[in-house]
Amino acid sequence: MRGRRSIRGYLDKPVPQELIEEILGLAMRSPTSMNTQPWHFHVITGEPLDRIRKGNTENILAGVPDSREFRRGEPFAGVHRERQIEVAKQLFGAMGIARDDKEGRQDWVLRGFRQFDAPVCVIVTYDRELASSDDTAFDCGAVTTALVNAAWSRGLGCVINSQGIMQSPVVREHANIPDDQVIMKAVAMGWPDPDFPANAVYSNRKPLDETVRFVGFEN
């Protein structure tokens, strides 16, 4: 039985812990610099996740400053900003959210702070003692991509996001994350609802001739 559909983008259907363990086991075979394996995964559901959703949303609406722990750099500009706007337009169009619909747009943004109302959230952290190494960030990105691919192969949908960890004290408290770990990313996870319009959106990708250079090939 598929479970009752929702307007949240995910089916109202729990994700078994055993399945998540299987997915994480596959993901953790991803490459890691000199086998450091700096990553940790905090898998949250139920009441603790609801407390994180509530705390995130209340803080954002109250104007509490962003306190994410992993560096974010400067705001996007130029072509990178254009791509960000392009995918936002695709999503708003799919959801029927008009440009002047401030309430609808705000609710869409708040979805990220609610972990997209997914039944499971995976918080990815890394060992603080390795925080100065760029390899650590690369390793955590690799394992997160592997996690999403493994989940997808089992029928689950994921959204890698930063909104869900921008209020890091909220996340750290309710996920009981140790002080010797740095919070890097969040992954919303659940069974995707195929009838949810945004789930049919595919972001555009640059063509190969704008991205790839072949050196030393005959042609």
Side-chain angles (χ1 to χ4, degrees):
M1 183 174 180
R2 300 185 69 184
R4 179 173 57 82
R5 297 192 185 281
S6 76
I7 61 172
R8 299 193 302 267
Y10 292 94
L11 298 175
D12 187 9
K13 177 180 175 182
V15 181
Q17 180 176 330
E18 295 78 9
L19 178 57
I20 299 173
E21 291 175 350
E22 177 187 356
I23 289 167
L24 287 171
L26 292 170
M28 288 170 59
R29 300 306 305 174
S30 69
T32 171
S33 176
M34 294 174 280
N35 200 34
T36 54
Q37 302 181 61
W39 51 66
H40 301 273
F41 306 95
H42 306 265
V43 187
I44 310 158
T45 192
E47 185 179 347
L49 180 52
D50 288 339
R51 290 198 296 267
I52 291 175
R53 297 190 222 272
K54 183 174 183 291
N56 282 348
T57 304
E58 289 179 348
N59 282 9
I60 288 299
L61 292 176
V64 176
D66 173 2
S67 59
R68 63 176 286 184
E69 298 176 4
F70 182 68
R71 63 186 183 276
R72 64 184 303 175
E74 297 299 319
F76 296 143
V79 67
H80 304 103
R81 174 62 174 163
E82 291 171 7
R83 293 185 188 121
Q84 180 184 15
I85 293 173
E86 180 185 17
V87 75
K89 287 180 177 178
Q90 287 181 264
L91 290 167
F92 288 148
M95 296 301 297
I97 302 174
R99 184 179 182 83
D100 59 353
D101 183 359
K102 294 183 179 179
E103 183 177 346
R105 285 176 173 250
Q106 182 185 57
D107 180 69
W108 183 262
V109 170
L110 289 176
R111 291 172 61 85
F113 295 96
R114 300 196 309 262
Q115 282 300 318
F116 300 90
D117 300 317
V120 172
C121 171
V122 181
I123 304 296
V124 182
T125 68
Y126 57 83
D127 293 320
R128 192 177 297 277
E129 64 181 344
L130 297 175
S132 63
S133 168
D134 288 339
D135 286 334
T136 296
F138 184 91
D139 291 348
C140 287
V143 78
T144 302
T145 300
L147 165 63
V148 170
N149 287 337
W152 183 259
S153 74
R154 300 301 189 268
L156 290 165
C158 296
V159 181
I160 304 172
N161 68 90
S162 293
Q163 298 104 310
I165 50 89
M166 282 184 176
Q167 297 294 324
S168 60
V170 171
V171 177
R172 188 171 288 279
E173 175 187 358
H174 297 302
N176 195 26
I177 296 174
D179 291 337
D180 63 356
Q181 296 176 24
V182 177
I183 299 172
M184 182 176 186
K185 282 288 183 182
V187 181
M189 179 186 292
W191 304 102
D193 185 345
D195 295 335
F196 188 69
N199 287 345
V201 171
Y202 287 86
S203 58
N204 295 325
R205 287 294 186 266
K206 295 190 295 182
L208 286 179
D209 59 9
E210 289 184 15
T211 308
V212 182
R213 292 179 64 245
F214 291 97
V215 179
F217 290 82
E218 291 183 1
N219 298 321

